[in-house]
Amino acid sequence: MATAKTQATSDLLLAAVLSSLSDDKAEDVVQIDLRGKTEIGDHMVICSGRSSRQVAAISEKLVQRLKDEFGRTARIEGKDTGDWVLIDTGDIIVHVFRPEVREFYQLEKMWQPSAAAAN
């Protein structure tokens, strides 16, 4: 079942990330377009898992799927504790949180000032 690696654009990577998160039942998925706002990446995705185990599993599977499909090795931090895992693909930054930790840091508000102003 050998397949050629797909050329990864940031939009293709984003679609693969969102698909993987959906497959693994990630909750409250938010995507933020970073183009023109920062040089750290083109997109940020923030989501939650129900437990430390699910956060770690979502993260492991996402990294493996990106490697299998695009030949990309993503950098991953925080998987051992499973509270907040950061996955850096180069173009896409993915944060997978336990709900309590996500609520504490509120990254969405940092990157979406219009959402913060509405609250």
Side-chain angles (χ1 to χ4, degrees), residues 17-32:
V17 165
L18 295 174
S19 176
S20 179
L21 296 176
S22 176
D23 289 349
D24 293 327
K25 310 291 188 248
E27 298 177 346
D28 301 320
V29 178
V30 174
Q31 68 183 63
I32 302 168

Side-chain angles (χ1 to χ4, degrees), residues 79-95:
K79 185 178 66 92
D80 293 338
T81 59
D83 289 333
W84 173 6
V85 179
L86 169 70
I87 302 162
D88 184 355
T89 73
D91 295 326
I92 314 290
I93 308 296
V94 182
H95 299 274

Side-chain angles (χ1 to χ4, degrees), residues 37-82:
K37 295 179 185 174
T38 181
E39 297 295 317
I40 65 169
D42 291 341
H43 303 279
M44 181 180 295
V45 178
I46 302 170
C47 67
S48 300
R50 292 181 301 277
S51 65
S52 296
R53 182 179 295 207
Q54 187 188 23
V55 167
I58 289 169
S59 303
E60 287 173 6
K61 288 180 182 180
L62 173 59
V63 168
Q64 188 60 50
R65 287 175 179 139
L66 293 176
K67 185 176 182 181
D68 292 346
E69 187 171 343
F70 298 102
R72 275 230 179 160
T73 303
R75 292 178 296 271
I76 186 168
E77 297 287 335
K79 185 178 66 92
D80 293 338
T81 59

